[in-house]
Amino acid sequence: MRTRPLKVALLGCGVVGSEVARIMTTHADDLAARIGAPVELVGVAVRRPSKVREGIDPALITTDATALVQRGDIDVVIEVIGGIEPARTLITTAFENGASVVSANKALLAEDGAALHAAAEKYGRDLYYEAAVAGAIPLVRPLRESLAGDKVNRVLGIVNGTTNFILDKMDTSGAGYSEALDEATALGYAEADPTADVEGFDAAAKAAILAGIAFHTRVKIGDVHREGITEVTAADIASARRMGCTVKLLAICERAADGQSVTARVHPAMIPLSHPLASVREAYNAVFIEADAAGQLMFYGPGAGGSPTASAVLGDLVAVCRNKLGEATGPGESAYTRLPVSPMGEVVTRYHISLDVADKPGVLAQVATVFAEQGVSIDTVRQQGKDGEASLVVVTHRAPDAALSGTVEALRKLDTVRGVASIMRVEGE
């Protein structure tokens, strides 16, 4: 074993960063044995230096992150501060000054991953980011390495623990969205401002990263169709249950049947209870991958939190340090296919549509005519009526999303349709 330690700088010391520092200290001997050399934490960049950080030598704390990554003797920089800037500049500065980078920054990678990969390649450095997608669940490395010889056709997953917890509570307890969100906040699953989670931004960033790796093409967060869960109601959950389904916020990345394009989207959807993702409870994550040779694979585990995310960071640290010792680099960006990302309107989906209609003869015929005119085939219809009012629930066969959207707009114009109570896609069949 080499006795000279590999030097590591840590950018950020919050929930994840502090856990990374703790594990590096308590598991130092094991990490050294696995890497082939000891690793030494030589600096920790923070915004609030006065905060007490148990187990971290105060002499390591600095507020000058730029000076830390410019030192020139750093082997690996671990970036867990998040956001676009100053993280982007700090990472590229680290590459310029001889360091490889381990990052958990999904927002930055989904927005500017191509530029970061280009900088890493230019300077001969590693860029690893297992922790950016689903906490402790190994996803990035299996897609980049284990499935590198296969053709991945679909990635379907629950990649946000907060929204899964909320939807699970709505399903199992009958709670409304606001009640379930309050419980998630009280338990620490939701931030004080939960927008990034409940509006789907977090999941969309992860979908962009996964789609790019799976299909060897560049996908940015702006390419991902995004819908959150704030409009999901207890009635939607009940309707799903009557269909033998449950509601999940899904990240769906697909290769077109002709192989000439890809799609990436995040939205709530009904999935059959028989699907493996339907049993994913509380704040857990799971991702279902379909590939030509490997078939169907499922990855499951805690998708967030200090310890799970730190586990992924440390796994990358070991890999990057081994590469350093071997004077090599791991896999970089693979975007050779250059496939376009199709808009949501071209995606073929199924819809569950709940309508409030007048309870009188001919309503169903009018509604069916609208579907026929838009070229959308109906799978099932359920109607209930009382005292002049009725509800009509229609589940469609698969059709282009634009046609389904056009159908909904046409339905709104019918005099007999009092309102569209809910619209939700049906997936996983």
Side-chain angles (χ1 to χ4, degrees), residues 11 79-92 103 105-113 116 205 220-221:
L11 307 182
E79 183 271 310
V80 289
I81 57 177
I84 305 300
E85 288 291 357
R88 173 167 48 199
T89 299
L90 292 171
I91 289 173
T92 54
S103 176
N105 195 332
K106 53 187 170 287
L108 177 57
L109 288 158
E111 177 62 33
D112 213 16
L116 294 179
K220 299 178 69 172
I221 190 169

Side-chain angles (χ1 to χ4, degrees), residues 69-70 77 89-101 125:
V69 298
Q70 287 178 333
V77 169
T89 299
L90 292 171
I91 289 173
T92 54
T93 302
F95 291 147
E96 293 167 4
N97 286 273
S100 289
V101 173
R125 315 300 176 205

